[in-house]
Amino acid sequence: MERLISHPPLMIVSDLDHTMVDHQDHENLSLLRFNSLWEDAYRRDSLLVFSTARSPILYKELRKEKPLLTPDIIITSIGTEIAFGNSMVPDHAWVETLNSDKWNREIVLEETKKFPELTLQPKTEQRLHKVSFYIDEGKGEALTKELSQLLEKRGLDVKIIYSWGKNVDVIPRGAGKGEALEYLLKKLQTEGIFPVNTLACGDSEHDAELFSIPDVHGVMVSNSQEELLKWRSENALNNPKVIHSTERCADGIIQAIGHFKLGPNLSPRDVSEFLKLKRDVGNPGQEVVRFYLFYERLRRGEIKNYETYVSSFKESCHQSAVFVHPSGAEKSLRDTIDELQKCYGDKRGKKFWVWVDQVLVMDNTPEKCIVKFAKWEQCEDERKCCTTTVEFTSKGGDLVWEKVKQIWSEDSEVKDDDNSRWIL
């Protein structure tokens, strides 16, 4: 978050499963649509927060399965853990907040043994401030009430969350997605980067707390669970800041951005003539997002008169512009773009997607700027990633590509130095 020098215009706080991630969308189209919009219009000055019931371990597994962007902040384990940045640095102050005399994991485990209908979830889901169980169908409501009374008699003050008709989670009373967000907002205010607008996004009862925070916009995506919609009818039906979208998952988030007028809500993926999109000269990251969208569509064989687009991109490159391949080989950037024409349609009919992540300006002067990002490429089940740096110069108000350098990312599942397999 060091890049922020003022209040971020928007902070999105989104659940993952069935909200940001649509598990029925096997090509991840809605997620990719959101990704392009975020990197094109918001990454440079706004905040992306994921808030999930998953443990950090299962969150990392999801990242390997889906084209998720890297959030600025990740809230895991139903709001009991908060971490920052790529390295997921824990917020120790939040941990201390949850440590109290009224939370004791051993007592929770002792009392829950009295209920044979409860089965402990795997070790990955057992955390310092969360004990998680599976429960026999139809027994959740009665059990949670009885268990709550038992734990209260033992001196604990806990929150018991029953969700999806099969999960029971026990966490400290002061924890939860809503409490974690309130803590985060206070922290950002102290640091002088309180967001102008915050949009909370969810689909299940786990997320209900997010929609109770004053001055926070909220969207319950169209595929939300009945339990959450029932909560809305009882608690937020007349709240104009909370809507039930007509679109699923990430598409519902984009819809909410437009509904509340929080900023741009047209994803570059929804524009066929994306070269005609208005350019923000103060946001060189847009050039990167749109180039790699063109690159994807060209290889999928989806662009008519693609020669015009190739010519346009070539003209935006300096005569002596250089491309450094991940293998270390150097060649002319213009020649590399010329070679793209030979790749037209070579991925047609395949599950081939390209996305960029963390598109950030690292250095910016009136004459020159450097943009760094992760460029991902997936073909069927094979994923590759390169850390990419692009150097631009400014000429007559236009950006000129001077150099593109790529190195294999540690996150890349495949590192292939064959120039014919990794084009750009």
Side-chain angles (χ1 to χ4, degrees):
M1 299 191 296
E2 294 80 5
R3 70 184 185 281
L4 298 179
I5 58 175
S6 61
H7 299 280
L10 178 62
M11 180 169 78
I12 285 185
V13 182
S14 178
D15 174 52
L16 289 176
D17 296 286
H18 312 290
T19 301
M20 183 64 73
V21 176
D22 188 346
H23 291 285
Q24 294 183 23
D25 178 6
H26 300 298
E27 294 194 338
N28 303 303
L29 297 181
S30 63
L31 181 55
L32 289 167
R33 193 176 291 116
F34 174 85
N35 290 358
S36 293
L37 174 61
W38 188 260
E39 298 296 335
D40 185 85
Y42 293 101
R43 174 66 81 173
R44 62 178 176 153
D45 60 5
S46 293
L47 289 172
L48 181 62
V49 181
F50 291 152
S51 182
T52 177
R54 286 178 178 248
S55 66
I57 296 169
L58 289 190
Y59 163 66
K60 291 175 182 178
E61 287 186 9
L62 184 66
R63 288 186 61 83
K64 294 178 181 178
E65 299 167 5
K66 298 290 182 178
L68 281 170
L69 295 182
T70 302
D72 299 286
I73 305 166
I74 175 70
I75 300 170
T76 54
S77 305
I78 325 179
T80 60
E81 300 178 65
I82 301 175
F84 300 87
N86 294 21
S87 302
M88 295 179 64
V89 179
D91 188 322
H92 296 294
W94 179 239
V95 174
E96 289 304 313
T97 299
L98 300 183
N99 284 334
S100 76
D101 294 338
K102 292 185 177 295
W103 171 255
N104 186 308
R105 290 190 85 260
E106 297 307 315
I107 291 177
V108 172
L109 290 169
E110 181 182 332
E111 291 297 330
T112 50
K113 285 180 180 178
K114 300 174 181 178
F115 298 88
E117 56 267 52
L118 287 177
T119 304
L120 275 171
Q121 291 186 15
K123 288 184 178 180
T124 57
E125 296 311 288
Q126 309 304 329
R127 311 296 295 176
L128 181 62
H129 295 105
K130 181 172 80 76
V131 186
S132 296
F133 303 88
Y134 296 121
I135 187 170
D136 295 346
E137 187 175 352
K139 297 185 178 181
E141 292 186 8
L143 178 142
T144 54
K145 184 177 181 179
E146 184 179 352
L147 177 59
S148 179
Q149 293 171 345
L150 285 175
L151 294 176
E152 186 177 349
K153 288 179 181 178
R154 295 293 303 272
L156 302 191
D157 189 13
V158 302
K159 187 183 295 182
I160 303 176
I161 303 171
Y162 173 51
S163 63
W164 292 93
K166 62 178 181 179
N167 298 326
V168 171
D169 299 287
V170 185
I171 62 177
R173 174 70 60 187
K177 289 189 175 186
E179 284 81 356
L181 177 53
E182 287 185 305
Y183 167 87
L184 183 59
L185 287 169
K186 290 177 183 176
K187 184 183 184 77
L188 295 176
Q189 187 169 34
T190 301
E191 296 177 358
I193 51 175
F194 189 84
V196 177
N197 289 295
T198 298
L199 174 64
C201 318
D203 75 293
S204 76
E205 204 165 7
H206 276 153
D207 308 311
E209 297 175 345
L210 296 174
F211 306 116
S212 301
I213 301 174
D215 300 321
V216 169
H217 298 282
V219 56
M220 301 174 182
V221 292
S222 68
N223 52 289
S224 292
Q225 293 179 35
E226 286 301 321
E227 291 87 350
L228 181 61
L229 298 180
K230 180 182 177 182
W231 179 92
R232 176 176 178 255
S233 68
E234 295 173 351
N235 299 277
L237 192 59
N238 297 317
N239 183 353
K241 284 184 172 288
V242 178
I243 65 168
H244 181 205
S245 73
T246 58
E247 300 288 342
R248 290 178 57 85
C249 299
D251 283 340
I253 298 174
I254 295 174
Q255 181 185 1
I257 293 173
H259 174 87
F260 293 120
K261 297 180 172 55
L262 303 179
N265 68 319
L266 178 63
S267 172
R269 284 188 174 271
D270 292 328
V271 180
S272 56
E273 298 289 332
F274 54 88
L275 279 183
K276 296 180 181 179
L277 280 169
K278 183 179 179 181
R279 280 179 164 77
D280 180 355
V281 294
N283 184 11
Q286 284 185 343
E287 293 289 321
V288 167
V289 174
R290 295 170 188 186
F291 172 78
Y292 280 107
L293 181 55
F294 156 76
Y295 170 86
E296 176 196 280
R297 289 177 174 176
L298 180 139
R299 298 195 68 182
R300 288 173 60 88
E302 295 175 348
I303 301 179
K304 295 180 180 178
N305 302 318
Y306 64 90
E307 297 89 350
T308 303
Y309 289 87
V310 171
S311 177
S312 174
F313 279 118
K314 186 177 176 182
E315 286 300 314
S316 67
C317 298
H318 192 275
Q319 289 283 356
S320 58
V322 175
F323 169 53
V324 183
H325 189 273
S327 65
E330 290 190 18
K331 60 194 299 187
S332 162
L333 182 56
R334 285 193 164 208
D335 289 347
T336 301
I337 291 176
D338 273 336
E339 291 173 8
L340 283 179
Q341 298 186 72
K342 301 176 185 177
C343 300
Y344 181 78
D346 67 339
K347 302 297 184 183
R348 184 185 282 115
K350 297 182 179 179
K351 292 182 179 179
F352 177 77
W353 306 106
V354 177
W355 66 97
V356 290
D357 183 21
Q358 291 188 297
V359 180
L360 296 172
V361 177
M362 310 305 293
D363 187 18
N364 197 6
T365 67
E367 299 80 26
K368 176 183 176 181
C369 71
I370 298 175
V371 179
K372 188 176 181 181
F373 56 96
K375 180 250 174 168
W376 287 89
E377 189 171 298
Q378 179 166 349
C379 187
E380 301 299 342
D381 295 327
E382 181 181 276
R383 300 210 312 183
K384 302 178 186 178
C385 179
C386 269
T387 300
T388 304
T389 305
V390 179
E391 295 182 15
F392 293 104
T393 54
S394 180
K395 182 179 180 181
D398 293 326
L399 291 173
V400 179
W401 295 60
E402 293 281 350
K403 183 178 182 179
V404 178
K405 181 179 180 180
Q406 295 184 322
I407 58 174
W408 291 118
S409 166
E410 293 180 359
D411 295 327
S412 186
E413 297 170 1
V414 179
K415 298 179 175 66
D416 191 341
D417 287 339
D418 184 347
N419 289 22
S420 65
R421 287 171 56 83
W422 181 270
I423 309 300
L424 180 58

